[in-house]
Amino acid sequence: MARVPFATRENMDAAGQAIWDDIQTSRGGVQRNYAAILNNPQAAGAFAGLGGYVRFETPLDPRVKAVAILTAAREAGGHYVWTVNQRGAKEANLSDELIAAIREFRAPSGLDTNDATVVQFVLELLRQHRISDTTFEAMRSLVGDAGIVDTLVVVAYYHGLAHSLQALEVELPEGVETDLTY
């Protein structure tokens, strides 16, 4: 059970309801991840604004984005973020083998050069809090300068969301199971 109640629109003031409505409209509903974060509507609105950009507006290649999301979620032990982003990973043509390599901490070994570059970039950022010149230049060659920034923003959003949902102990939607273990 989540550590905070799931917010409801009815229990919010007008400003909170407007934020709820924005999240609901942009995402086709308010899932339990945002229902938990909506305990602070102003913070949820700001977070959702960043999430809206990385989910719907970034011109980053969908495959690069999906690899970055899964790597960030895995590094955070983020069951919710990992699991709900499996569909997007499949839509971006990530193979079961690539997903398993990230899940099992085997990546970037054995991956094609582009996928390995994205995984290495995210791992260096999250584990060492800096990125080597070699990895940075490989990523720049893959996505360009604007793509570097977008990748950083994608990682920041999904890693932060994963940590937040883990801290709040937000469960997966009813009937959804995860294959992620610590």
Side-chain angles (χ1 to χ4, degrees):
M1 178 167 214
R3 289 180 162 167
V4 296
F6 293 125
T8 62
R9 187 180 188 285
E10 297 76 31
N11 293 334
M12 296 181 175
D13 62 16
Q17 288 179 349
I19 292 168
W20 176 285
D21 293 345
D22 286 345
I23 292 170
Q24 183 171 11
T25 299
S26 68
R27 289 169 168 75
V30 176
Q31 303 304 316
R32 58 180 57 196
N33 61 340
Y34 267 96
I37 296 170
L38 274 158
N39 278 282
N40 182 330
Q42 186 175 0
F47 204 51
L50 180 60
Y53 174 75
V54 300
R55 286 188 67 199
F56 307 119
E57 298 174 34
T58 178
L60 198 60
D61 178 89
R63 184 178 184 92
V64 170
K65 184 169 86 169
V67 171
I69 290 168
L70 292 187
T71 305
R74 182 62 184 118
E75 285 298 299
H79 292 86
Y80 194 104
V81 172
W82 172 269
T83 304
V84 301
N85 281 286
Q86 292 299 306
R87 188 182 82 202
K90 292 295 188 184
E91 289 171 358
N93 295 316
L94 271 62
S95 67
D96 290 339
E97 293 78 22
L98 171 55
I99 294 169
I102 295 169
R103 182 183 61 244
E104 297 164 8
F105 295 111
R106 292 184 284 114
S109 296
L111 302 183
D112 83 9
T113 303
N114 291 347
D115 293 338
T117 296
V118 177
V119 170
Q120 187 65 33
F121 183 86
V122 175
L123 292 179
E124 287 183 21
L125 176 65
L126 297 178
R127 292 180 181 175
Q128 297 154 0
H129 314 293
R130 61 188 45 85
I131 300 166
S132 70
D133 290 342
T134 301
T135 301
F136 191 90
E137 291 307 322
M139 190 69 177
R140 184 195 320 252
S141 293
L142 181 62
V143 299
D145 290 336
I148 290 275
V149 173
D150 271 1
T151 303
L152 292 169
V153 172
V154 165
V155 170
Y157 174 75
Y158 283 101
H159 196 250
L161 180 62
H163 276 298
S164 297
L165 298 178
Q166 288 295 102
L168 296 174
E169 295 182 358
V170 175
E171 325 70 28
L172 287 163
E174 301 286 330
V176 175
E177 299 291 325
T178 187
D179 64 353
L180 194 65
T181 60
Y182 289 100

